[in-house]
Amino acid sequence: MTDPVLELLRRHPDLAALAAFPFQFDLERARHVEDVHLASGAPLEPIAGDDTGGTYFLCEGGAVLHASSEGDAALLADSVGEALEILIRLPWWCEEVSADLGEDELAAVLRAGDTEAKEEFAPELDEQRARLLAGLGLPDRPLTELVARSEAAALRTEPDHVLLGSAELRAYRVHESARRPLREVVLGPGREALERMRAGDAGARETAAGDPVLRAGVLHAASYDPRDDDLPLLRLLLAREDAERTEWYAERWLAAALVAPHARDADIPLLRSATDGQVADRAGAVAFARAAETRRREREGTAEEEFAWADLALRQERVAHARIALIRLLDDTGPDADRLRRLSRALERAGDHAQAARARADLLSLQDTAAGRASQAYVLARLERLKGDLEAAGHALERARAAVGADGPRGRAATDTGDPGLLRRGLGRLITEQHLELTLAAIDAADAGLARATMAHARRLLDLIGKESAKELAPLSTRAKWAVARLRT
C-alpha cells in the first residue's frame, strides 16, 4: 500500500523529523506494542507511531487508523495527508477540540494550546507548522471542516476497521461517541419501509408483508415509534406472521403485542391464534401488550437485546456488523457458561470460527464433569479445524480423549482417568468423527505426522465406541484409512 504524502515523508528526512516532533507522527516508531490485525481480514501496515506507544496504520483504500498502547483504536482520516492535516493543525496538546465549537472558538482553543506548547517544549512551533504544511503541500481547510472530517472517519471504524489483538482476539475499544449502535443499523431498512407504508405506498406494504426479514425490521421499528393509525398495517403483518409460522416466532409475538392494545373484537381470533391461545378477549389483549412492553424495557441495554439485534443483522446479511457486536459482547463476558455457549454458536453462524473457538475454549474451562469436558472439547476441535489451526484441533481432541478415558491400551479404554462409559454413547461417535475429519484435514495440509497420529487415535476409538456407532462412521473412516495408507506408498 502506498500514499503520496507518506512517500514524500519517507524521501525527505527533514519533513519526517518535523512530523515526528512536535506533531507525534514518527516514521521510526512504525511498530505496535503487540501483534494486531483487522477483524475484517483486510491488510494493515504500521507506518508511524507516537511517544506514548500508539501506532498509525495504513489501511486498504488509504484510510489511517490510530491505535493506542492501552487498547483503543479508531480511524483518524481517509488518507495520510488528511491525518497529518489533523495532527499538525489540531495537535495532541489541544485537548478541548470539539465539533460543538465554531471556527473562532476552535481558533481560540488552538492559540491557547499553542501558547502553552511554545512555553514548554516547542518554541519554534509556528515555523515548524508552516514548514511542514508547505513541504507536504497540505491545504488550508477551515478548522471546523478538519474536526468534522476526523469525527466522520471515527464513525466509520465499525465494522470494517475494528482492530483485534492477534494473540487473544479481543477487540480494541472505540469510544461510544464514534459507534453507531447495532440497533440503529438493523432498524434502518424497517424504518424506511414503515414510513413508505404510512404514506400509503401499496408496493411497500406488499414488499414488507412478503419479506420475513424486512417484515421483522418494520415490526421492530413500529415498536419504537408506535402510532394509533398503524393498526391496519400491523394487522396485515400479524396475519402474515401467523399464516407463515416461520422459526422466528418472536416477531409473531411482537406483531401481536403491537396489535393487542388497539384490538377490536374482530381481531381477537387472529390474536388468539398468533399467541397460541394466550389472548382470549380484549382484556387479555391489553394485558398481553403490557407484559410484552415490560419485557422489552427490561431487555434494553442488556446482552439479550444485543443478541437479538445481532440475529437480525445476520438475517439481513449484515454479517460484519453482527460479528463485531458479538465479539464485543464476548470481550465483556465473564465465566457465564450459557452466554459463552450462545456466543460460540452465534459467531460460528457468522462465519467467525476463530472467535467461536475462543468462546468455546472459555466454556471448556468452566466444565467440572467428564461429560462436559468431552462435549466441549470435541466442539472446540471442530472449530479449531475449521479456522485452520490443526495443531490446536489436535490438542482439543487430546482433551476430549482424556475426558472419556480413551488413551488406554488398544481395544479398551483407560480406567484411571475420565469416564469410559461416555464412549458407548453418542458422544464417543462424535469425538471419533472429529478425529477422522482432522486426519483428512491434516492430509490436505500435507501434515503427514499429524495425520498418522490422529488416525491412530481414531482406530482405537473405533474399537471402543461400539459396532453401531462405528458402522455409522464407516464411510468416513474408510476415506481416512485409505488416505493415510497412501501416505506410506
Side-chain angles (χ1 to χ4, degrees):
M1 295 182 287
T2 60
D3 180 279
V5 173
L6 179 60
E7 293 304 313
L8 190 60
L9 275 180
R10 287 170 172 169
R11 292 196 307 269
H12 295 275
D14 57 328
L15 296 179
L18 286 173
F21 180 82
F23 301 107
Q24 293 295 307
F25 188 88
D26 189 347
L27 300 185
E28 298 299 319
R29 296 177 182 267
R31 56 191 178 278
H32 199 50
V33 294
E34 65 172 341
D35 290 337
V36 293
H37 64 277
L38 290 178
S40 66
L44 191 69
E45 177 189 353
I47 55 173
D50 57 43
D51 64 7
T52 68
T55 309
Y56 295 94
F57 294 90
L58 184 62
C59 304
E60 189 174 43
V64 175
L65 178 79
H66 179 261
S68 77
S69 60
E70 299 179 350
D72 300 283
L75 282 182
L76 174 62
D78 288 335
S79 68
V80 174
E82 191 173 296
L84 282 163
E85 284 184 70
I86 293 167
L87 295 173
I88 296 168
R89 299 192 58 218
L90 300 170
W92 57 269
W93 56 81
C94 295
E95 297 179 350
E96 298 179 7
V97 168
S98 167
D100 296 330
L101 301 178
E103 188 72 18
D104 292 340
E105 293 170 308
L106 282 170
V109 168
L110 179 62
R111 285 193 300 270
D114 282 357
T115 298
E116 186 174 343
K118 291 172 188 176
E119 293 174 351
E120 294 185 3
F121 57 85
E124 299 178 351
L125 176 60
D126 291 337
E127 180 186 352
Q128 291 170 319
R129 176 179 283 132
R131 284 173 55 200
L132 188 53
L133 288 171
L136 297 176
L138 300 178
D140 185 20
R141 303 180 200 269
L143 296 174
T144 51
E145 181 181 343
L146 282 180
V147 173
R149 284 172 175 260
S150 179
E151 295 193 350
L155 283 167
R156 292 192 294 274
T157 303
E158 293 187 348
D160 295 329
H161 296 91
V162 172
L163 195 66
L164 302 180
S166 298
E168 297 184 354
L169 298 181
R170 296 178 66 87
Y172 275 54
R173 297 179 297 269
V174 176
H175 194 275
E176 288 299 322
S177 64
R179 294 179 61 190
R180 187 182 177 198
L182 182 59
R183 181 182 75 185
E184 298 304 306
V185 174
V186 299
L187 286 185
R191 283 172 172 158
E192 293 175 8
L194 179 59
E195 289 307 311
R196 291 196 300 272
M197 294 169 71
R198 285 170 171 169
D201 187 332
R205 287 168 59 100
E206 290 305 313
T207 299
D211 182 339
V213 178
L214 181 57
R215 192 165 68 228
V218 170
L219 288 168
H220 283 290
S223 72
Y224 283 93
D225 181 23
R227 300 185 188 179
D228 291 342
D229 54 2
D230 281 344
L231 182 58
L233 304 177
L234 298 173
R235 187 185 290 123
L236 169 68
L237 299 182
L238 175 59
R240 189 61 65 93
E241 287 286 338
D242 188 52
E244 293 187 5
R245 291 273 170 162
T246 68
E247 61 179 306
W248 310 102
Y249 69 90
E251 270 96 44
R252 174 162 49 91
W253 283 44
L254 173 58
L258 292 172
V259 169
H262 316 285
R264 302 167 185 170
D265 289 338
D267 295 323
I268 299 304
L270 175 58
L271 286 167
R272 182 184 296 113
S273 174
T275 62
D276 299 325
Q278 290 196 39
V279 173
D281 51 33
R282 294 182 67 180
V286 172
F288 180 85
R290 286 176 179 168
E293 177 62 15
T294 298
R295 287 193 299 270
R296 185 180 74 83
R297 292 187 180 279
E298 288 175 347
R299 289 174 57 197
E300 285 185 353
T302 66
E304 184 67 26
E305 183 184 45
E306 198 70 359
F307 271 118
W309 298 132
D311 185 71
L312 183 53
L314 289 174
R315 292 166 64 192
Q316 293 176 342
E317 299 184 355
R318 299 173 187 266
V319 177
H321 287 92
R323 281 184 61 228
I324 297 306
L326 292 167
I327 290 170
R328 294 203 183 281
L329 194 56
L330 177 56
D331 288 346
D332 293 336
T333 297
D336 184 328
D338 289 339
R339 186 187 292 186
L340 288 168
R341 183 179 293 103
R342 190 171 179 184
L343 279 165
S344 182
R345 290 170 177 169
L347 284 160
E348 183 175 5
R349 183 181 167 211
D352 195 331
H353 297 113
Q355 294 286 355
R358 174 188 160 203
R360 191 65 61 166
D362 288 347
L363 178 58
L364 172 57
S365 70
L366 300 178
Q367 304 306 308
D368 56 6
T369 67
R373 290 190 293 273
S375 178
Q376 300 310 322
Y378 101 80
V379 176
L380 177 60
R382 177 175 59 78
L383 292 170
E384 296 286 12
R385 173 173 56 80
L386 289 172
K387 87 175 190 186
D389 192 339
L390 304 188
E391 182 179 357
H395 289 317
L397 288 178
E398 183 179 353
R399 298 181 70 176
R401 292 195 305 274
V404 296
D407 281 332
R410 179 176 174 83
R412 60 188 176 87
T415 58
D416 56 337
T417 61
D419 181 354
L422 295 172
L423 285 168
R424 292 282 179 171
R425 304 173 199 168
L427 191 54
R429 185 186 65 78
L430 293 171
I431 293 171
T432 307
E433 180 181 38
Q434 287 308 310
H435 279 77
L436 296 169
E437 293 284 8
L438 180 57
T439 298
L440 292 170
I443 290 172
D444 288 341
D447 190 337
L450 178 61
R452 291 191 182 100
T454 306
M455 190 64 218
H457 290 298
R459 288 176 183 276
R460 175 178 294 175
L461 287 164
L462 286 165
D463 290 341
L464 297 173
I465 61 176
K467 292 182 179 180
E468 287 303 315
S469 293
K471 183 177 180 181
E472 291 178 18
L473 295 175
L476 183 60
S477 63
T478 299
R479 283 175 53 209
K481 290 174 183 177
W482 179 78
V484 171
R486 290 190 62 191
L487 291 175
R488 302 192 183 99
T489 62

